[in-house]
Amino acid sequence: MPTSSPTITHLVDPVHDPKLAHAPPPDVVFSLGTDDWDVPEDVLKHKYFVLVKTNLADAMDELHNRMRANNDHRLFTRKRTRPFGGTILDAGQVGVWSRNGRPVLSIKPGNYWNISWRHKFMGKYSLTATIDLLGLTICQVGQSEAAVIMDPSNRIFIIRNSGFVAFGAEGRFKVIAIVDTLNLGDACAHREPNMPGTNGTNRILGWKRDVKTVMEGSDGSRTEVTVATFFNVPANNVLILQRGNDLIVLKAGQHVITNPNTLFRGFFSLGERQTTFKTQPAYTIEGVPVVLHVNLRYRVADPVLLTSSYEDAFQALGNPAQTAVNSVVSRLSYQQFMRAKNVGGDVPDFHTAPWLDSFKSECLKDLTRQAKAYGIVVESFDVLDRELEGKLGKDLEAQSEQVLRNQVQATQVELQNHIATETQRGKLEIAKVEAEQKKTQADAEFYVQTKKADANAYQVVKSAEAEADASNRRTTQEAKNVVTLADAKRIEIEIISKAYSQVPEGHAQRMQLSVFEVEKRKALPQKTIYFTGDKNETNHFGQDSVVNGFMNGTGWNAGSTLAH
């Protein structure tokens, strides 16, 4: 009997991608049981359900007013605070009393006495703590938290970044769990599956946490059921859900399921993935089984199309990859696989590259065609290694290895000979270079010595010329000096002779006598008046006789006397 295939429906959360034209309106998405973060309208219309808009104290006060308006009992107690004793409430605490099975609260700090037999103190709680007592439910969650609530009709809804105060006279609002939507826990991580024989990356695809509660049957049996499921989807990943025969795609972000008709199918990454594995034996023309070690790179282009047939991308690619390998290997001989032990091995083979190119081209073409039907794009399909299977394959591989070993040894011998030849050639070149260096050095030294000898000879010649010139100059100057001195002496003699010839007669005798006179006067004491008896000294003893006498006495007139 034929079965119907699932209907593929591409639905995207409008909160995360509102610009997509095919995204359904919010009510359609919520009707499918996904991302219903708002409180249902019928819950908001409940007479004793108050959503926190400002703070819990205001919500409690509004619930108290509603209960009084419906002629119900008071929510806040009329107990007064006392100066001492009783129950002490601190600031930020809520005191709860039971009055005939109904809750009575007080949030005012102080001391409270309980002298009524109808009141029973149930305890005191933090104002921010979750309280589920005597039909009273108080809950408040932060920005990253979400509270899973069950209403009196056993319907599940979510409150996020808010809170509520409720009283269920007929049933109650039950807080099932408070979930940290930013951190669902490592235990809730879903990773890429590692298929047998592969080396998958084991990367995290997303986080999934189920919130469960216990239901009691009429016979007292207890059953744990899932009432909500939270998801965290990383960037470039998607979440696939199923409702009935429809598949739903939710993109990266935080998601929640509260409708039991919506099921989880899986996480998928839209990025590139790669895995290495060994294929099943494929038979050559001779019937030799060959196993290939291959590397496969791919990415999921349409996760809905993949999910409709397989749970994982590798499951979809395994059979097509093996089929492509079988199709190509069946047209090749085993010699083409054993020309080199490893692809790109020590011994290069010019026939290996064409075989690899042909193999990759044909396998990739066939595999791409088959993978496209499952929404997968194959990027590359590379051969890392190959080996022959079975007894015949082992024997052929051993023979090929021996041939390869001989080839390697021959190549090594040839390489060693080549190295030795090149070494000797290098030594010869070095010797030539050294000889050229020595020749160049000798030429340079000879040139230097020649230049030094030329410089010394030039210096000697120049020194001799300079010495001869200096000697010549000195001799000439000395001769000139002698002539000059002779002329000067001659002129001196002539001047003296002329002077002597012009001296008057008797003048020399008077000059000598005057010198004697001066010497005598110098020998006399100072201020001595000396008279020589000369007639000149007596004839002029008139007007200037006193002055002249004083001058002669002190020797001031010696020159005048000598002149006369």
Side-chain angles (χ1 to χ4, degrees), residues 330-349:
S330 63
R331 301 194 298 271
L332 300 175
S333 62
Y334 80 94
Q335 290 92 344
Q336 294 176 284
F337 292 97
M338 299 308 298
R339 292 186 185 275
K341 183 175 179 58
N342 295 317
V343 177
D346 297 332
V347 181
D349 193 337

Side-chain angles (χ1 to χ4, degrees), residues 35-36 68 185 211 222 245 339 346 370 388 395 470 550:
D35 292 346
D36 193 355
R68 296 299 295 163
V211 178
R222 298 168 61 88
N245 210 36
R339 292 186 185 275
D346 297 332
Q370 298 186 59
L388 302 179
D395 293 341
F550 177 78

Side-chain angles (χ1 to χ4, degrees), residues 418-434:
H418 179 71
I419 292 174
T421 303
E422 293 298 327
T423 302
Q424 294 298 328
R425 185 175 299 159
K427 291 181 178 179
L428 179 60
E429 293 295 331
I430 292 174
K432 290 181 179 180
V433 172
E434 290 178 350

Side-chain angles (χ1 to χ4, degrees), residues 49-88:
F49 181 90
V50 179
L51 195 64
V52 175
K53 297 179 180 179
T54 56
N55 53 62
L56 274 176
D58 294 342
M60 291 179 187
D61 188 64
E62 183 178 348
L63 177 60
H64 172 77
N65 295 333
R66 289 187 186 183
M67 295 173 69
R68 296 299 295 163
N70 285 278
N71 296 321
D72 211 330
H73 77 287
R74 299 173 58 89
L75 181 62
F76 288 118
T77 182
R78 286 182 289 188
K79 293 178 179 292
R80 294 179 299 172
T81 58
R82 305 294 180 173
F84 60 89
T87 300
I88 302 175

Side-chain angles (χ1 to χ4, degrees), residues 204-221:
I204 294 178
L205 298 176
W207 289 265
K208 170 180 173 286
R209 177 179 175 180
D210 293 325
V211 178
K212 300 182 179 181
T213 186
V214 177
M215 297 293 185
E216 295 184 4
S218 58
D219 57 352
S221 61

Side-chain angles (χ1 to χ4, degrees), residues 61-330:
D61 188 64
E62 183 178 348
L63 177 60
H64 172 77
N65 295 333
R66 289 187 186 183
M67 295 173 69
R68 296 299 295 163
N70 285 278
N71 296 321
D72 211 330
H73 77 287
R74 299 173 58 89
L75 181 62
F76 288 118
T77 182
R78 286 182 289 188
K79 293 178 179 292
R80 294 179 299 172
T81 58
R82 305 294 180 173
F84 60 89
T87 300
I88 302 175
L89 289 183
D90 297 329
Q93 288 186 330
V94 180
V96 182
W97 287 265
S98 173
R99 182 179 182 277
N100 296 333
R102 289 176 172 267
V104 179
L105 308 179
S106 177
I107 59 175
K108 183 179 179 181
N111 296 65
Y112 291 88
W113 293 355
N114 186 13
I115 58 178
S116 172
W117 60 271
R118 293 185 300 175
H119 288 74
K120 179 181 179 182
F121 182 68
M122 303 302 296
K124 52 185 179 179
Y125 307 90
S126 173
L127 190 60
T128 59
T130 299
I131 301 175
D132 191 352
L133 186 67
L134 301 175
L136 175 68
T137 305
I138 301 176
C139 179
Q140 187 174 20
V141 291
Q143 293 181 351
S144 64
E145 296 176 325
V148 182
I149 312 298
M150 179 184 290
D151 69 355
S153 300
N154 287 347
R155 292 174 301 181
I156 302 298
F157 64 93
I158 307 295
I159 288 184
R160 181 169 64 172
N161 193 23
S162 182
F164 72 96
V165 179
F167 176 71
E170 299 172 356
R172 66 189 178 99
F173 291 88
K174 180 181 179 182
V175 180
I176 298 176
I178 295 179
V179 179
D180 183 0
T181 59
L182 295 181
N183 183 15
L184 299 182
D186 294 337
C188 301
H190 280 237
R191 300 179 181 272
E192 286 183 334
N194 288 336
M195 303 301 295
T198 65
N199 62 338
T201 58
N202 202 28
R203 293 180 180 177
I204 294 178
L205 298 176
W207 289 265
K208 170 180 173 286
R209 177 179 175 180
D210 293 325
V211 178
K212 300 182 179 181
T213 186
V214 177
M215 297 293 185
E216 295 184 4
S218 58
D219 57 352
S221 61
R222 298 168 61 88
T223 304
E224 189 176 47
V225 296
T226 300
V227 295
T229 303
F230 290 85
F231 301 96
N232 269 351
V233 184
N236 206 30
N237 289 8
V238 295
L239 167 66
I240 305 297
L241 302 177
Q242 179 178 348
R243 186 175 186 270
N245 210 36
D246 297 330
L247 295 178
I248 308 168
V249 181
L250 297 181
K251 296 203 172 184
Q254 301 174 2
H255 305 282
V256 65
I257 298 175
T258 55
N259 192 327
N261 294 329
T262 304
L263 304 177
F264 168 72
R265 287 298 302 271
F267 293 99
F268 291 95
S269 174
L270 301 180
E272 184 180 290
R273 290 291 183 267
Q274 70 174 356
T275 181
T276 59
F277 62 95
K278 289 186 176 181
T279 64
Q280 296 297 321
Y283 294 89
T284 64
I285 297 175
E286 298 85 0
V288 179
V290 178
V291 175
L292 299 179
H293 189 200
V294 297
N295 179 71
L296 178 62
R297 291 194 303 116
Y298 61 91
R299 60 181 177 86
V300 178
D302 192 343
V304 173
L305 192 60
L306 174 62
T307 307
S308 63
S309 302
Y310 292 95
E311 299 296 329
D312 178 68
F314 188 77
Q315 292 179 0
L317 294 176
N319 290 334
Q322 185 65 44
T323 302
V325 170
N326 292 340
S327 176
V328 177
V329 172
S330 63

Side-chain angles (χ1 to χ4, degrees), residues 486-549:
D487 291 341
K489 191 67 176 175
R490 179 181 57 79
I491 293 171
E492 180 184 3
I493 294 172
E494 291 177 354
I495 292 172
I496 293 174
S497 298
K498 186 178 181 179
Y500 285 161
S501 63
Q502 293 177 357
V503 173
E505 183 181 356
H507 179 71
Q509 183 178 5
R510 287 193 302 269
M511 288 296 295
Q512 187 65 36
L513 291 176
S514 297
V515 171
F516 290 158
E517 190 70 22
V518 169
E519 291 295 331
K520 285 191 302 180
R521 292 184 181 186
K522 286 182 178 180
L524 294 177
Q526 292 182 356
K527 298 182 180 181
T528 301
I529 299 173
Y530 177 74
F531 295 97
T532 60
D534 192 353
K535 63 180 180 178
N536 292 330
E537 296 178 359
T538 58
N539 292 334
H540 296 86
F541 194 82
Q543 183 178 356
D544 296 330
S545 61
V546 177
V547 176
N548 292 332

